[in-house]
Amino acid sequence: MKITATQIEQLYAFTRQHFVEYYDLQTELVDHLANAIEAKSAENPTLTFDEILQSEFKKFGIFGFMEVVENRKKALTRKYHKIVWKHFLEFFKLPKIAIVIVSFVLVLNALKYLQSAPEMYVVVFAILTLFLLGKSIADNYKKKEKQPEKRWLFEEIVSGYGSITAFFVVPVQLLNSFSRNSETMFNTTASMYGFSVFLVAYAVICYIITVIIPSKAKEYLAQTYPEYALMQ
């Protein structure tokens, strides 16, 4: 049995019926099932397309394709983390390291000022909250506008991590802690310097995830899925 174009569409529909939402995973599974059906049909020509399909699907176990989806998510998430780490290390090489050093000095001095004027916490908190909420609303609006016909798993990982909402909790918690413990939080030079390093590193990671990687998303997606570029 040679798989026809109509049967290929049936296989795509079959994967969607079994909760595989992402086109890249659908394609991998369709290729796997199509090859298995052709091989089984060659061994036993009396078997029908549907019989072989159900037999192959049973091999995935009681959870069906879910394990395949989860494993692929884990693999692509690890790939994403490697990309983030690569960009992060670039900030500690010339010329970007100059930006890191200047940022560290500015943060260190800002913390010293806030320590002596804790009432400024309210201003910082208000500005940060408004910025994060505004960015979050804008991001959600853009996502609703796009609504692509085909969903790609790596694209969703990039956009998911790139949402500014994911970084809302940490700054708020840090500023809240600072407002309550401003006199004791930095009672040593080491703690002041350490906290400044943490804030700068956190800011760099946020910038990488929310600005740099989304700006290069199509490039990374084309590297991951060669067919992605052809569909744009």
Side-chain angles (χ1 to χ4, degrees):
M1 180 193 300
K2 183 69 177 174
I3 297 294
T4 65
T6 301
Q7 289 171 331
I8 290 292
E9 288 304 314
Q10 289 176 348
L11 291 177
Y12 271 104
F14 184 81
T15 60
R16 289 192 293 271
Q17 289 165 8
H18 289 85
F19 313 108
V20 181
E21 305 173 62
Y22 304 105
Y23 180 73
D24 48 319
L25 290 183
Q26 291 172 6
T27 301
E28 287 183 19
L29 289 167
V30 166
D31 286 344
H32 171 80
L33 292 170
N35 290 332
I37 290 169
E38 288 183 348
K40 281 283 185 182
S41 179
E43 292 174 8
N44 189 347
T46 61
L47 293 173
T48 66
F49 173 86
D50 288 328
E51 286 173 338
I52 300 175
L53 175 58
Q54 292 301 326
S55 173
E56 289 300 315
F57 181 62
K58 286 179 181 177
K59 293 179 181 179
F60 286 89
I62 58 173
F63 296 110
F65 297 134
M66 297 310 296
E67 187 175 351
V68 175
V69 174
E70 286 304 312
N71 288 338
R72 187 64 172 155
K73 278 185 180 178
K74 289 177 183 177
L76 288 176
T77 300
R78 287 195 295 270
K79 175 186 175 74
Y80 179 81
H81 290 160
K82 287 180 181 178
I83 292 172
V84 172
W85 182 243
K86 182 192 76 171
H87 283 292
F88 182 76
L89 292 179
E90 287 175 358
F91 273 85
F92 295 90
K93 300 175 184 176
L94 289 172
K96 290 182 179 178
I97 194 170
I99 299 172
V100 173
I101 293 170
V102 170
S103 299
F104 171 77
V105 173
L106 291 174
V107 169
L108 184 62
N109 284 287
L111 289 177
K112 288 177 181 177
Y113 174 72
L114 285 174
Q115 191 177 23
S116 61
E119 67 279 358
M120 285 300 295
Y121 159 76
V122 178
V123 177
V124 174
F125 177 80
I127 293 171
L128 181 65
T129 302
L130 288 173
F131 171 74
L132 291 174
L133 285 176
K135 184 71 165 61
S136 177
I137 291 168
D139 288 344
N140 289 331
Y141 182 76
K142 286 178 183 176
K143 284 180 185 178
K144 286 180 182 178
E145 272 191 330
K146 287 182 181 179
Q147 291 182 337
E149 183 181 342
K150 290 183 172 66
R151 296 173 62 190
W152 305 76
L153 179 54
F154 194 54
E155 185 173 29
E156 299 237 336
I157 290 172
V158 169
S159 62
Y161 275 93
S163 172
I164 198 76
T165 353
F167 303 95
F168 189 91
V169 177
V170 173
V172 169
Q173 289 296 330
L174 289 174
L175 286 170
N176 185 42
S177 177
F178 181 80
S179 69
R180 289 185 283 104
N181 308 289
S182 59
E183 294 182 0
T184 60
M185 197 170 178
F186 306 121
N187 50 16
T188 66
T189 303
S191 61
M192 180 75 79
Y193 275 73
F195 194 63
S196 299
V197 168
F198 171 79
L199 285 179
V200 172
Y202 185 77
V204 168
I205 291 173
C206 288
Y207 181 73
I208 290 168
I209 289 174
T210 60
V211 178
I212 294 180
I213 293 180
S215 71
K216 296 176 175 289
K218 289 187 177 181
E219 176 186 332
Y220 287 124
L221 285 162
Q223 290 172 3
T224 307
Y225 314 116
E227 65 273 29
Y228 177 87
L230 300 175
M231 294 183 176
Q232 299 307 300

